[in-house]
Amino acid sequence: MKNPVVGIVMGSDSDLDVMCDAAKTLDEFGIPYELRVISAHRTPDVMVDYATGAKKRGLQVIIAGAGGSAHVAGMMSAHTTAPILAVPVKRDNHGNEALWSNIKMPPGMPLATMPENGAKNAALFAVEILALSDQKLSKKYDEFRTKQHDKVLKADKKLQTIGWQKYLKKS
Ligand code: RP5
């Protein structure tokens, strides 16, 4: 994509099925991004270069996902002052180690950690950051939130009208 403003980074291509939710969401908002596989452990040199050059290349936010010992988000935040949104990747055979790795940053090193596999929320958080200086995007985001709000109202109205038994059968 031309002139990306968001970098989506994942520790392994095996994280792509989770991290593609961030790409899908940014697509919906028309935000240019780049998607990279960069490992804190297997390609630490690339990770450092990527993080140190991120702002100069126009990236305003970085979304970084990894599982297991999940160091890529925290270590990139050590090499850039661009905001980093961490996505702990969790598999069925994992504990919560990626989440703990991301939230246990030391004071002075902020890292915005999303829920496990929360790549969609990471993208929405990126939208919120970018919308602070982009009125058109801000309007689009408000519309998205209104749509969500109305969907809940509609669901509640239906539940009140037909009762839970029919609701379960129909939905
Ligand atoms: C982490 O280890 C990656 O982010 C991935 O979630 C996990 C497994 O990586 P692979 O062995 O599938 O490359 O570093």
PDB file of all heavy atoms in Angstrom, residues 25-26 29 63 119-129 141 144 148:
ATOM      1  N   THR A  25     -10.058  -4.377   9.278  1.00  0.00           N
ATOM      2  CA  THR A  25     -10.692  -3.207   9.896  1.00  0.00           C
ATOM      3  C   THR A  25     -10.133  -1.912   9.316  1.00  0.00           C
ATOM      4  O   THR A  25     -10.894  -0.981   9.021  1.00  0.00           O
ATOM      5  CB  THR A  25     -10.503  -3.259  11.435  1.00  0.00           C
ATOM      6  OG1 THR A  25     -10.997  -4.514  11.899  1.00  0.00           O
ATOM      7  CG2 THR A  25     -11.225  -2.137  12.138  1.00  0.00           C
ATOM      8  N   LEU A  26      -8.826  -1.858   9.131  1.00  0.00           N
ATOM      9  CA  LEU A  26      -8.243  -0.636   8.542  1.00  0.00           C
ATOM     10  C   LEU A  26      -8.732  -0.457   7.108  1.00  0.00           C
ATOM     11  O   LEU A  26      -8.962   0.671   6.659  1.00  0.00           O
ATOM     12  CB  LEU A  26      -6.713  -0.697   8.601  1.00  0.00           C
ATOM     13  CG  LEU A  26      -6.103  -0.652  10.006  1.00  0.00           C
ATOM     14  CD1 LEU A  26      -4.582  -0.754   9.913  1.00  0.00           C
ATOM     15  CD2 LEU A  26      -6.505   0.606  10.765  1.00  0.00           C
ATOM     16  N   PHE A  29     -11.960   1.322   7.003  1.00  0.00           N
ATOM     17  CA  PHE A  29     -11.871   2.767   7.240  1.00  0.00           C
ATOM     18  C   PHE A  29     -11.009   3.474   6.193  1.00  0.00           C
ATOM     19  O   PHE A  29     -10.784   4.679   6.279  1.00  0.00           O
ATOM     20  CB  PHE A  29     -11.331   3.037   8.651  1.00  0.00           C
ATOM     21  CG  PHE A  29     -12.367   2.831   9.716  1.00  0.00           C
ATOM     22  CD1 PHE A  29     -12.514   1.602  10.335  1.00  0.00           C
ATOM     23  CD2 PHE A  29     -13.220   3.858  10.084  1.00  0.00           C
ATOM     24  CE1 PHE A  29     -13.489   1.384  11.304  1.00  0.00           C
ATOM     25  CE2 PHE A  29     -14.193   3.670  11.050  1.00  0.00           C
ATOM     26  CZ  PHE A  29     -14.333   2.433  11.662  1.00  0.00           C
ATOM     27  N   ILE A  63       0.816  -1.540  15.144  1.00  0.00           N
ATOM     28  CA  ILE A  63       0.090  -2.627  15.802  1.00  0.00           C
ATOM     29  C   ILE A  63       1.016  -3.836  15.754  1.00  0.00           C
ATOM     30  O   ILE A  63       1.483  -4.219  14.669  1.00  0.00           O
ATOM     31  CB  ILE A  63      -1.224  -2.934  15.047  1.00  0.00           C
ATOM     32  CG1 ILE A  63      -2.161  -1.714  15.100  1.00  0.00           C
ATOM     33  CG2 ILE A  63      -1.903  -4.172  15.628  1.00  0.00           C
ATOM     34  CD1 ILE A  63      -3.383  -1.832  14.186  1.00  0.00           C
ATOM     35  N   ALA A 119      -7.016  -8.111  17.555  1.00  0.00           N
ATOM     36  CA  ALA A 119      -6.454  -7.318  16.453  1.00  0.00           C
ATOM     37  C   ALA A 119      -7.458  -6.291  15.922  1.00  0.00           C
ATOM     38  O   ALA A 119      -7.083  -5.195  15.500  1.00  0.00           O
ATOM     39  CB  ALA A 119      -5.997  -8.239  15.328  1.00  0.00           C
ATOM     40  N   LYS A 120      -8.735  -6.645  15.978  1.00  0.00           N
ATOM     41  CA  LYS A 120      -9.756  -5.696  15.516  1.00  0.00           C
ATOM     42  C   LYS A 120      -9.768  -4.452  16.416  1.00  0.00           C
ATOM     43  O   LYS A 120      -9.784  -3.322  15.937  1.00  0.00           O
ATOM     44  CB  LYS A 120     -11.135  -6.380  15.520  1.00  0.00           C
ATOM     45  CG  LYS A 120     -12.231  -5.443  15.088  1.00  0.00           C
ATOM     46  CD  LYS A 120     -13.561  -6.113  14.973  1.00  0.00           C
ATOM     47  CE  LYS A 120     -14.606  -5.058  14.599  1.00  0.00           C
ATOM     48  NZ  LYS A 120     -15.858  -5.630  14.152  1.00  0.00           N
ATOM     49  N   ASN A 121      -9.760  -4.681  17.729  1.00  0.00           N
ATOM     50  CA  ASN A 121      -9.747  -3.529  18.640  1.00  0.00           C
ATOM     51  C   ASN A 121      -8.477  -2.697  18.478  1.00  0.00           C
ATOM     52  O   ASN A 121      -8.498  -1.473  18.621  1.00  0.00           O
ATOM     53  CB  ASN A 121      -9.884  -3.996  20.089  1.00  0.00           C
ATOM     54  CG  ASN A 121     -11.332  -4.026  20.524  1.00  0.00           C
ATOM     55  OD1 ASN A 121     -12.232  -3.878  19.706  1.00  0.00           O
ATOM     56  ND2 ASN A 121     -11.567  -4.211  21.804  1.00  0.00           N
ATOM     57  N   ALA A 122      -7.364  -3.360  18.193  1.00  0.00           N
ATOM     58  CA  ALA A 122      -6.126  -2.611  17.965  1.00  0.00           C
ATOM     59  C   ALA A 122      -6.300  -1.666  16.779  1.00  0.00           C
ATOM     60  O   ALA A 122      -5.899  -0.495  16.830  1.00  0.00           O
ATOM     61  CB  ALA A 122      -4.959  -3.567  17.714  1.00  0.00           C
ATOM     62  N   ALA A 123      -6.920  -2.165  15.720  1.00  0.00           N
ATOM     63  CA  ALA A 123      -7.133  -1.315  14.541  1.00  0.00           C
ATOM     64  C   ALA A 123      -8.081  -0.169  14.873  1.00  0.00           C
ATOM     65  O   ALA A 123      -7.866   0.974  14.437  1.00  0.00           O
ATOM     66  CB  ALA A 123      -7.673  -2.148  13.388  1.00  0.00           C
ATOM     67  N   LEU A 124      -9.114  -0.460  15.659  1.00  0.00           N
ATOM     68  CA  LEU A 124     -10.057   0.608  16.026  1.00  0.00           C
ATOM     69  C   LEU A 124      -9.376   1.642  16.910  1.00  0.00           C
ATOM     70  O   LEU A 124      -9.625   2.843  16.797  1.00  0.00           O
ATOM     71  CB  LEU A 124     -11.288   0.023  16.728  1.00  0.00           C
ATOM     72  CG  LEU A 124     -12.188  -0.828  15.835  1.00  0.00           C
ATOM     73  CD1 LEU A 124     -13.296  -1.490  16.653  1.00  0.00           C
ATOM     74  CD2 LEU A 124     -12.792   0.002  14.703  1.00  0.00           C
ATOM     75  N   PHE A 125      -8.479   1.181  17.750  1.00  0.00           N
ATOM     76  CA  PHE A 125      -7.705   2.109  18.596  1.00  0.00           C
ATOM     77  C   PHE A 125      -6.828   2.994  17.703  1.00  0.00           C
ATOM     78  O   PHE A 125      -6.697   4.195  17.918  1.00  0.00           O
ATOM     79  CB  PHE A 125      -6.839   1.311  19.572  1.00  0.00           C
ATOM     80  CG  PHE A 125      -6.506   2.047  20.845  1.00  0.00           C
ATOM     81  CD1 PHE A 125      -7.052   1.632  22.053  1.00  0.00           C
ATOM     82  CD2 PHE A 125      -5.645   3.131  20.849  1.00  0.00           C
ATOM     83  CE1 PHE A 125      -6.734   2.302  23.239  1.00  0.00           C
ATOM     84  CE2 PHE A 125      -5.331   3.802  22.020  1.00  0.00           C
ATOM     85  CZ  PHE A 125      -5.878   3.393  23.225  1.00  0.00           C
ATOM     86  N   ALA A 126      -6.252   2.376  16.682  1.00  0.00           N
ATOM     87  CA  ALA A 126      -5.434   3.151  15.729  1.00  0.00           C
ATOM     88  C   ALA A 126      -6.295   4.189  15.027  1.00  0.00           C
ATOM     89  O   ALA A 126      -5.875   5.344  14.840  1.00  0.00           O
ATOM     90  CB  ALA A 126      -4.795   2.204  14.707  1.00  0.00           C
ATOM     91  N   VAL A 127      -7.513   3.797  14.678  1.00  0.00           N
ATOM     92  CA  VAL A 127      -8.442   4.749  14.038  1.00  0.00           C
ATOM     93  C   VAL A 127      -8.703   5.928  14.988  1.00  0.00           C
ATOM     94  O   VAL A 127      -8.680   7.091  14.577  1.00  0.00           O
ATOM     95  CB  VAL A 127      -9.779   4.051  13.657  1.00  0.00           C
ATOM     96  CG1 VAL A 127     -10.808   5.072  13.191  1.00  0.00           C
ATOM     97  CG2 VAL A 127      -9.550   3.003  12.572  1.00  0.00           C
ATOM     98  N   GLU A 128      -8.925   5.626  16.259  1.00  0.00           N
ATOM     99  CA  GLU A 128      -9.181   6.701  17.230  1.00  0.00           C
ATOM    100  C   GLU A 128      -7.997   7.669  17.305  1.00  0.00           C
ATOM    101  O   GLU A 128      -8.170   8.883  17.387  1.00  0.00           O
ATOM    102  CB  GLU A 128      -9.454   6.104  18.618  1.00  0.00           C
ATOM    103  CG  GLU A 128     -10.793   5.388  18.702  1.00  0.00           C
ATOM    104  CD  GLU A 128     -11.119   4.885  20.100  1.00  0.00           C
ATOM    105  OE1 GLU A 128     -10.260   4.976  21.001  1.00  0.00           O
ATOM    106  OE2 GLU A 128     -12.243   4.383  20.283  1.00  0.00           O
ATOM    107  N   ILE A 129      -6.796   7.138  17.281  1.00  0.00           N
ATOM    108  CA  ILE A 129      -5.601   7.988  17.343  1.00  0.00           C
ATOM    109  C   ILE A 129      -5.521   8.862  16.087  1.00  0.00           C
ATOM    110  O   ILE A 129      -5.343  10.083  16.160  1.00  0.00           O
ATOM    111  CB  ILE A 129      -4.321   7.142  17.503  1.00  0.00           C
ATOM    112  CG1 ILE A 129      -4.311   6.462  18.878  1.00  0.00           C
ATOM    113  CG2 ILE A 129      -3.068   8.000  17.325  1.00  0.00           C
ATOM    114  CD1 ILE A 129      -3.213   5.412  19.051  1.00  0.00           C
ATOM    115  N   TYR A 141     -15.742   7.280  12.014  1.00  0.00           N
ATOM    116  CA  TYR A 141     -15.666   6.479  13.232  1.00  0.00           C
ATOM    117  C   TYR A 141     -16.918   6.678  14.092  1.00  0.00           C
ATOM    118  O   TYR A 141     -17.459   5.728  14.649  1.00  0.00           O
ATOM    119  CB  TYR A 141     -14.400   6.843  14.017  1.00  0.00           C
ATOM    120  CG  TYR A 141     -14.175   5.942  15.199  1.00  0.00           C
ATOM    121  CD1 TYR A 141     -13.936   4.582  15.018  1.00  0.00           C
ATOM    122  CD2 TYR A 141     -14.230   6.430  16.501  1.00  0.00           C
ATOM    123  CE1 TYR A 141     -13.748   3.732  16.091  1.00  0.00           C
ATOM    124  CE2 TYR A 141     -14.040   5.595  17.583  1.00  0.00           C
ATOM    125  CZ  TYR A 141     -13.804   4.252  17.379  1.00  0.00           C
ATOM    126  OH  TYR A 141     -13.632   3.411  18.452  1.00  0.00           O
ATOM    127  N   PHE A 144     -19.606   4.603  12.691  1.00  0.00           N
ATOM    128  CA  PHE A 144     -19.394   3.200  13.058  1.00  0.00           C
ATOM    129  C   PHE A 144     -19.937   2.927  14.465  1.00  0.00           C
ATOM    130  O   PHE A 144     -20.633   1.934  14.715  1.00  0.00           O
ATOM    131  CB  PHE A 144     -17.898   2.871  12.972  1.00  0.00           C
ATOM    132  CG  PHE A 144     -17.482   1.642  13.723  1.00  0.00           C
ATOM    133  CD1 PHE A 144     -17.663   0.375  13.178  1.00  0.00           C
ATOM    134  CD2 PHE A 144     -16.904   1.745  14.988  1.00  0.00           C
ATOM    135  CE1 PHE A 144     -17.285  -0.764  13.877  1.00  0.00           C
ATOM    136  CE2 PHE A 144     -16.524   0.621  15.696  1.00  0.00           C
ATOM    137  CZ  PHE A 144     -16.711  -0.641  15.136  1.00  0.00           C
ATOM    138  N   GLN A 148     -23.179   0.508  15.730  1.00  0.00           N
ATOM    139  CA  GLN A 148     -23.082  -0.521  16.776  1.00  0.00           C
ATOM    140  C   GLN A 148     -24.146  -0.312  17.838  1.00  0.00           C
ATOM    141  O   GLN A 148     -24.792  -1.241  18.293  1.00  0.00           O
ATOM    142  CB  GLN A 148     -21.730  -0.408  17.480  1.00  0.00           C
ATOM    143  CG  GLN A 148     -20.623  -1.136  16.864  1.00  0.00           C
ATOM    144  CD  GLN A 148     -19.441  -1.284  17.816  1.00  0.00           C
ATOM    145  OE1 GLN A 148     -18.712  -2.225  17.701  1.00  0.00           O
ATOM    146  NE2 GLN A 148     -19.232  -0.374  18.746  1.00  0.00           N
TER     147      GLN A 148
END
